Amino acid sequence: MLHEEVVGRIRAILLDGEIPPGARIPERELCERLEISRTPLREALKVLAAEGLVQLLPHRGSRAAKLTDKDMRDLFEVCQGLEALAGELACERITDAEIDEIAAAHADMVRHYSEGDLIQYYRGNRAIHEAIVTAAGNPALTSLYASVTARIRRARYVTPMTPQRWALAVKEHEAILNALQRRDGVGLAHILRAHLRHKREEVLQAGFAETEGNDVTLRIA
Amino acid sequence: MLHEEVVGRIRAILLDGEIPPGARIPERELCERLEISRTPLREALKVLAAEGLVQLLPHRGSRAAKLTDKDMRDLFEVCQGLEALAGELACERITDAEIDEIAAAHADMVRHYSEGDLIQYYRGNRAIHEAIVTAAGNPALTSLYASVTARIRRARYVTPMTPQRWALAVKEHEAILNALQRRDGVGLAHILRAHLRHKREEVLQAGFAETEGNDVTLRIA
DNA sequence: TTTTGCATTTTTGAATGCAAAATCTGCGAT
DNA sequence: ATCGCAGATTTTGCATTCAAAAATGCAAAA
């Protein structure tokens, strides 16, 4: 198994919440499960620690990182900046074909909305945001975005929504698609910022930060 | 020696250009120099690879990362986004004391400019940009900014400038300080973006990308 | 019953050793 | 002289081993 694969598998385990935020990461167990020795596992944990997904405590092992309200707010703020930038760049560089794909993904997502399927809705939602970032044609931005969103993914794409908020989100996505089709970079940036600000408020209001005694895993189970 | 210290020392070696972009990283030598064994060194290299400073080639060791023109452009673009965001946030949150410090740093920098001391000028310049980012009060943003700027630092803070460009840069910095003092977030974001766009043009025009046969180390020596 | 001090156990962090892969070297063929 | 190839050498990646630090358990004292 390649180094990158090890990192990816552990990242998936963390993002799935299989090891919940704050929990200790059982080195020996993971070694057995991935059928590797401690050396490559520890290399991967150090990388994930640099990404912010793992917290290393010297001489006390590693834990799945836990985000405070402040952390969450900060990361959403950065995410807003990155998506706004991506939106502006995407409007300059996106191809008609890419726009069509996003439009199709949007239609799909709206369908899931009208069917009340939150899981599928979120899946489509995420695909759209990622497609916009990809369309910016800036791999450095894409990978930074990936690492930031990974840390807030569970909060962002798992929080339950009230019907009002959900309806608003869908409306905002209409505007997002519209701005893209008009290639209105500044407008798109504004909408994306507002969209994420609303999502952030939602998440924080729901008390979704991964603080002590606030286990996301249980909530979404 | 602690893990973070190892990472820091190697990062410094790379940023100083002691191991020039594209050059192989001599594992054994570094081990001896840092007086550690290969295990912690390799852990650090994996982390630096995740940061983009090191390129890992499976079964072929690691090299100091080399940036193409496109990489450089992309990173500057992201940096623009991050600094613009930081500027907006800083205007909301910066204290009067912090503004005074930045004003002092600015005055210092202008003095170095009038003395023609490019090195000191760049040092002050960097301090100002970093202070603005810090004033945004968002550690997630700060650390992301640090990792992005690290990759373009040598290009950004080493490129020689024509008198015209230097004068323009100083003018822009006047405007930056002014916007900060007026706490004009939107204005500051605009100026910062333009400032960085100019710097990027400078760097790319100077052919400063770390491509084959384009060794930055030699140029600045 | 609770707390404190000590010995034991467990776990972490790093060095070493080993097998596989890549690179280098030298020799012969064209 | 150059190219190609077989063997030797080096380097990489990982498993194992070893020492140090922390956690745990237990007994004795308050």
Side-chain angles (χ1 to χ4, degrees), chain B residues 1 35-40 43 59-60:
Chain B
M1 182 150 47
E35 294 177 292
I36 54 175
S37 75
R38 283 179 56 219
T39 306
E43 284 173 357
H59 296 287
R60 293 184 179 195

Side-chain angles (χ1 to χ4, degrees), chain B residues 137-153:
Chain B
N138 184 327
L141 174 57
T142 306
S143 79
L144 228 59
Y145 178 75
S147 106
V148 170
T149 49
R151 298 175 66 184
I152 55 176
R153 178 166 312 159

Side-chain angles (χ1 to χ4, degrees), chain B residues 13-123:
Chain B
I13 290 173
L14 293 169
L15 293 182
D16 289 351
E18 206 177 314
I19 298 176
R24 259 177 115 238
I25 294 174
E27 257 184 35
R28 196 155 300 282
E29 259 180 60
L30 265 186
C31 284
E32 287 167 20
R33 173 159 162 196
L34 302 184
E35 294 177 292
I36 54 175
S37 75
R38 283 179 56 219
T39 306
L41 176 76
R42 290 169 50 76
E43 284 173 357
L45 289 178
K46 294 245 154 79
V47 168
L48 291 167
E51 277 180 35
L53 283 168
V54 164
Q55 187 185 9
L56 296 178
L57 302 111
H59 296 287
R60 293 184 179 195
S62 42
R63 318 181 81 87
K66 212 165 23 174
L67 299 182
T68 63
D69 269 20
K70 171 77 161 83
D71 292 331
M72 198 71 91
R73 211 185 312 268
D74 287 350
L75 286 168
F76 264 99
E77 226 163 56
V78 172
C79 200
Q80 275 173 49
L82 294 178
E83 286 206 25
L85 172 64
E88 282 195 58
L89 297 175
C91 283
E92 293 171 21
R93 298 169 189 168
I94 195 166
T95 64
D96 290 337
E98 281 176 309
I99 290 184
D100 290 345
E101 276 174 47
I102 290 177
H106 177 82
D108 253 35
M109 189 190 73
V110 171
R111 191 165 46 76
H112 293 308
Y113 165 65
S114 62
E115 287 167 2
D117 186 341
L118 188 64
I119 305 249
Q120 286 303 318
Y121 167 81
Y122 268 135
R123 191 187 306 275

Side-chain angles (χ1 to χ4, degrees), chain A residues 1 35-40 43 59-60:
Chain A
M1 183 151 44
E35 292 176 295
I36 54 176
S37 77
R38 282 180 59 222
T39 306
E43 284 173 355
H59 295 286
R60 289 172 171 216

